[in-house]
């Protein structure tokens, strides 16, 4: 799998095997530790226009050190494939995990930035369809409002180290492809959030997407959703990608992994035993 940003590709952590696969008809990669105890669908960020499983091997692979086998789909991206293509691929991949014989309670969902917003949109899509929901989701600095109404977009622009306000309108237009910015499945901040599983939200105090996360947490709690929100000082947007150089990156993933495991344990016993082979997928 070669992406348009091959120069950004990263190696997985030591001891993690990378295996190309198709799940639910969607190309992607499995990242597999030696002893997986649970499965995770990880949706990568990149503002819906860049990013791939290869650029996120270090971040997704960090979950492997906490006992997760991780599938990262290479979902379609804008501008060639605007909304709802990425959401359709995320849903296909998740249903592919279920159809491969996994316990429907087992796979959790996580993602950062656009991938965090996409993870939330996937939960909404699954809820609407009446299908099984994952036991929990971990959202790192999720982009939830493509209408760009958060005050932190202006207030934190000079403090932000990666994602800048002047770039957002053009990127949002590419992804929306003519859809209204407050369309709930594109901007899940405007959705009815009732009935969603527990959410963990991590966001940096200096990010321009700070208000996307804070308003999401407030709306979710008002809808009766269990929310664990943590605000991190002095970290850049997408700091979880910097596993080797930012201590808070490993800490954030460790806390998310513990949250996902705990939520799965509260949901119901069972799930696939450790050491059971991964689902059969086309190479």
């Amino acid at each position: 799998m070669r992406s348009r940003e091959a120069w950004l590709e990263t190696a997985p952590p030591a001891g993690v095997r990378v295996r190309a696969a198709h799940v639910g008809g969607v190309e992607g990669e499995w990242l597999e530790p030696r002893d997986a105890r649970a499965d995770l669908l990880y949706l990568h960020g990149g503002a819906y226009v860049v990013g791939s499983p290869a650029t996120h091997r270090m971040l997704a692979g960090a979950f492997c050190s906490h006992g997760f086998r991780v599938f990262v789909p290479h979902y379609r991206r804008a501008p060639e494939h605007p909304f709802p293509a990425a959401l359709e691929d995320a849903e296909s991949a998740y249903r592919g995990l279920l159809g491969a014989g996994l316990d429907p309670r087992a796979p959790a969902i996580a993602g950062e930035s656009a991938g965090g917003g996409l993870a939330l949109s996937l939960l909404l899509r699954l809820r609407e369809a009446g299908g099984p929901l994952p036991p929990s989701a971990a959202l790192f600095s999720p982009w939830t409002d493509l209408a760009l109404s958060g005050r932190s977009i202006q207030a934190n622009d000079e403090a932000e180290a990666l994602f800048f306000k002047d770039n957002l309108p053009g990127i949002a237009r590419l992804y929306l492809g003519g859809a209204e910015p407050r369309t709930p499945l594109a901007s899940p901040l405007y959705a009815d959030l009732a009935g969603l599983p527990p959410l963990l939200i991590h966001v940096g105090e200096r990010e321009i997407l700070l208000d996307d996360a804070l308003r999401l947490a407030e709306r979710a709690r008002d809808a009766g959703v269990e929310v664990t929100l943590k605000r991190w000082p002095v970290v850049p947007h997408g700091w979880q990608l910097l596993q080797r150089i930012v201590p808070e990156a490993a800490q954030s993933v460790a806390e998310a992994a513990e949250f996902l495991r705990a939520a799965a344990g509260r949901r119901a016993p069972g799930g696939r035993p450790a050491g059971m082979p991964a689902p059969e997928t086309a190479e």
Side-chain angles (χ1 to χ4, degrees), residues 109-159:
I109 296 176
E112 102 284 351
S113 193
L118 184 59
L120 186 60
S121 295
L122 175 57
L123 295 178
L124 296 168
R125 185 77 164 250
L126 295 171
R127 185 199 61 188
E128 288 178 358
L133 288 169
S136 60
L139 313 176
F140 300 141
S141 306
W143 192 11
T144 64
D145 179 14
L146 274 72
L148 310 179
S149 65
R151 290 179 295 177
S152 59
I153 291 177
Q154 295 287 337
N156 282 355
D157 187 51
E158 292 188 2

Side-chain angles (χ1 to χ4, degrees), residues 113 157 159-165 167 208 236-239 241-242:
S113 193
D157 187 51
E160 177 63 80
L162 182 64
F163 211 19
F164 306 109
K165 70 177 178 64
N167 298 333
I208 63 175
H237 178 73
W239 78 92
L241 287 161
L242 307 174

Side-chain angles (χ1 to χ4, degrees), residues 237-254:
H237 178 73
W239 78 92
Q240 293 86 1
L241 287 161
L242 307 174
Q243 289 291 313
R244 289 176 173 164
I245 59 176
V246 176
E248 292 91 341
Q251 183 183 352
S252 178
V253 170

